[in-house]
Amino acid sequence: MRRARTPRTPFRLPRITTALAAVPLALTAAVVPAAAAPAPAAERATTERAERGHHGRDTLRDAAPKGFFIGTAVAGGGHHAEQPYADPFAYDVEYRDRMAREFNSLSAENQMKWEYIHPTRDYYNFYPADAIVRYAQENRQVVRGHTLLWHSQNPAWLEEGDFSDEELREILHEHITTVVGRYAGRIQQWDVANEIFDEDGEYREENIWIRELGPGIVADAFRWAHEADPRAKLFFNDYGVESVNAKSDAYYALIQELKADGVPVHGFAPQSHLSTRYGFPGDLQANLQRFADLGLETAITELDVRMDLPEGGEPTAAQQAQQADYYRRALQACLGVETCNSFTIWGFTDKYSWVPVFFPSEGSATVMTEDYERKPAYHALQDTLRSVRGKR
Ligand code: 9MR
């Protein structure tokens, strides 16, 4: 029997005309600089043809083995909002074209986070997230949803509100039901719980849900997400859990408990924000494997490799080679684990990377320069994918 459909949203959305609906997104963005406006269609087609000439069938998704998802974060919101450019996903045509050609999986960098998708208590802003899901469908890409229960990027109405425990629980329930339900069948993996443990493997105090409602709320979040979309694979996601350490041990123990209780947890993902300041986490594959052995899917969800930039800002050849080595080893670790079928980099061009904004002396963390030139790290990924194509 068919399940009753969850209503798409209990709230009234503003009516929009078809013409408006076709505008990519960021209708609410401030003034768009003229230079950033999309190129006229004809010009765009020429650029696309020229590009295909260069890179047609020569991209990461073309190199990927069957059933393997190579993804990127879709730039928009978050740190981008303070940068001197218009929303990349809405207005950078070259960026959009490359994203379609290079990747078969997309993650919402910020657009599905609470502060964006649920900015006031009674209103959901689905435009940016809808645009990503629609674009992904048009380009035969899967989507990773990010994220439902987190301590950061929550709206003030939530963090500063005066709610009873019952109300808070209902707010989370309604949010998960509404957001996951809206995209049901169109999201491959959801980062249900993000960054819930600190470095010592203790629950983070900053997490409003866990602090106010107790850790049991995590299991409820997974149950509610599963009810809203039984097909989506539900993940724990965190940084600093690439290796076997106190934090990843905390996930290992928690997931065992949850599975014993029948909670629908399907995956564990080390984000993998790496830096050449620290060595490569050599036990990444072994760590993924121990989670796979619990019957879980695994994924790399936010890989980038930042470095200290020399004066002038250009990485040396040696730095580029070291970075390429980190990218290659991260991908090899994932490919070495049978249940690791999703490998996402946190942005593919330095033009939009979060790294220099958060780590001022570091940068060059992605696989393409600001001008979309492919770095050695790009080729490391491409060669590694090609080497297993047909064998996996
Ligand atoms: O890339 C995101 C950036 O645009 C935001 O400003 C930032 C705010 O915290 O979040 C970045 O994405 C984070 C992701 O959601 C969770 N893991 C760490 C990522 C990098 O900070």
Side-chain angles (χ1 to χ4, degrees), residues 224-391:
W224 294 332
H226 187 61
E227 273 165 30
D229 184 359
R231 280 180 284 175
K233 299 296 181 192
L234 307 182
F235 273 69
F236 281 101
N237 190 54
D238 209 331
Y239 64 87
V241 292
E242 291 71 34
S243 290
V244 176
N245 55 30
K247 200 177 189 178
S248 61
D249 282 351
Y251 281 103
Y252 190 76
L254 173 62
I255 291 171
Q256 276 180 311
E257 245 175 68
L258 294 175
K259 286 192 77 86
D261 291 347
V263 179
V265 177
H266 309 120
F268 173 76
Q271 295 173 1
S272 308
H273 292 289
L274 306 181
S275 161
T276 58
R277 277 190 193 179
Y278 315 108
F280 182 83
D283 57 351
L284 175 58
Q285 182 171 332
N287 190 36
L288 291 172
Q289 188 62 54
R290 71 170 173 152
F291 284 92
D293 291 344
L294 292 180
L296 291 184
E297 294 198 14
T298 53
I300 301 294
T301 47
E302 305 184 13
L303 178 66
D304 49 21
V305 182
R306 59 187 189 271
M307 60 182 78
D308 290 287
L309 290 174
E311 211 145 303
E314 283 301 310
T316 63
Q319 284 182 304
Q320 299 223 24
Q322 189 185 11
Q323 179 186 54
D325 183 56
Y326 277 41
Y327 269 95
R328 177 184 296 107
R329 290 165 74 184
L331 179 55
Q332 282 171 342
C334 176
L335 288 166
V337 175
E338 212 185 307
T339 73
C340 191
N341 290 317
S342 173
F343 183 91
T344 293
I345 57 180
W346 208 236
F348 63 96
T349 165
D350 290 342
K351 194 174 178 184
Y352 298 129
S353 170
W354 71 292
V355 166
V357 179
F358 284 75
F359 304 92
S361 62
E362 297 174 71
S364 194
T366 76
V367 301
M368 288 187 195
T369 65
E370 296 193 4
D371 301 326
Y372 298 104
E373 259 172 59
R374 294 168 168 187
K375 300 183 194 175
Y378 176 96
H379 294 292
L381 293 184
Q382 193 177 38
D383 293 347
T384 305
L385 290 170
R386 282 181 178 155
S387 71
V388 294
R389 202 173 149 80
K391 295 189 201 134

